[in-house]
Amino acid sequence: MSGASAAPSRVFSYIFSGKRSHVFGGLFVVGLLSYVPWYYMTAGKKQLSHSDYMAIQEKERMRKQRLSTTPLPDAPAAAPSPTSPS
């Protein structure tokens, strides 16, 4: 049964030893664990450039301007006033 308890103590000795190879190995493992999910989250996505952001802002500005000057479709049009027969 002493062999079963040797594995956790070996892991703790690597973690707390402070040896250069153990530190770099730990940094590599942590970096790998961080990189894998990041890679899958960003796979296939196009990075936007400055001009892309400017085009998006311009489209949004034009949309807001168009929406602010357009009358509501439910509003009745100005009908000519009926003339009274005299």
Side-chain angles (χ1 to χ4, degrees), residues 41-86:
M41 286 189 311
T42 59
K45 291 185 179 178
K46 177 183 170 271
Q47 299 294 323
L48 296 177
S49 66
H50 177 70
S51 59
D52 293 334
Y53 284 112
M54 296 305 290
I56 290 170
Q57 285 181 343
E58 180 66 20
K59 286 179 185 177
E60 185 66 24
R61 185 183 65 78
M62 295 299 288
R63 179 182 164 275
K64 285 182 180 179
Q65 183 181 12
R66 184 181 73 243
L67 291 175
S68 68
T69 58
T70 307
L72 294 175
D74 295 333
S81 62
T83 57
S84 61
S86 0

Side-chain angles (χ1 to χ4, degrees), residues 12 14 18 20 26 32 34-35 50 54 58 61:
F12 287 131
Y14 285 137
R20 185 179 300 226
L32 184 67
S34 301
Y35 174 74
H50 177 70
M54 296 305 290
E58 180 66 20
R61 185 183 65 78

